[in-house]
Amino acid sequence: MKVISYNLRKHRAAGELAHLVEHHGADVLCLQEYDTRDIPPVIGGLRLADATQRNRLGLAVYYRENAYRAVDVRSLSLKKSLHDRVLKPAEERLLGVRLHDIDDGHEFIVASFHAAPLTALNSLRRHQIRTALNELSALGEGLPALMVGDYNYPVFKENLGQKVREQGYELSLSDARTYTRYRFFRGHYDFATSVGFRVDKVRTLPQGRSDHLPILVTAHPSAVSRPSEASVEIAGA
């Protein structure tokens, strides 16, 4: 499975998405800073699972509908930074989708995540990450889960990795930096955290109109979970 994660920088890079999906053969597309008033139902052959609703620049997840079926979705507000409280740039910072693999019959969770900006403390971002990972289990206890996005965590990543491992997850960085706008803040911002997945590679893709570079995660669920009889496809998926 190939998953692309991309912070669009206030929707500026939205026009690149169809080419990215088609060129790299993506199965899932996770977006941040997407203008939720201008979301097409299909991008490059991928179907919209859902998008956040309570902020203009939000999150969205698309999936390949001839390979997967969307079973459930969950969006979540996380602990707010002072920046969030004053400027209110983002209300919901997590969007998770439970997918059913049509061929294999197993289910797993993918999520788009956007942490608080650099004006916040790393401790607050760790709190957001910890809460987000815990909340994903509400979509399916014990299912493999992959959360990708803009973690806004350029320094002390070793400490973050340790905290993530204490929750049973693995932190995966890409092969090159993913943020280039400001000289002193360049580095790895866009990560993947996973449990029950074998992450083969995280690749930084060429830069487009965003100050973030998209990442391409190649991963496979390493634990097979069969759906329960209560699993119901979400409306409109």
Side-chain angles (χ1 to χ4, degrees), residues 135-161:
E135 289 294 330
L136 287 180
S137 63
L139 282 169
E141 188 71 33
L143 289 180
L146 176 68
M147 186 174 84
V148 297
D150 177 7
Y151 284 62
N152 273 322
Y153 213 102
V155 295
F156 306 118
K157 290 182 288 293
E158 296 79 6
N159 184 39
L160 176 62

Side-chain angles (χ1 to χ4, degrees), residues 154-195:
V155 295
F156 306 118
K157 290 182 288 293
E158 296 79 6
N159 184 39
L160 176 62
Q162 177 60 36
K163 297 297 184 182
V164 167
R165 285 190 292 273
E166 290 172 1
Q167 286 186 258
Y169 284 75
E170 289 297 326
L171 177 70
S172 301
L173 274 64
S174 57
D175 57 0
R177 65 190 184 188
T178 65
Y179 185 78
T180 62
R181 186 178 181 187
Y182 298 113
R183 178 180 178 184
F184 294 106
F185 293 105
R186 294 176 181 176
H188 289 79
Y189 282 61
D190 304 84
F191 308 153
T193 45
S194 61
V195 62

Side-chain angles (χ1 to χ4, degrees), residues 8-37:
L8 302 178
R9 192 185 177 189
K10 301 179 180 180
H11 202 68
R12 294 183 186 182
E16 304 167 13
L17 296 176
H19 172 74
L20 279 174
V21 169
E22 294 166 0
H23 183 71
H24 296 285
D27 301 296
V28 177
L29 179 64
C30 294
L31 303 173
Q32 305 90 45
E33 293 196 20
Y34 200 15
D35 189 338
T36 54
R37 303 169 304 179

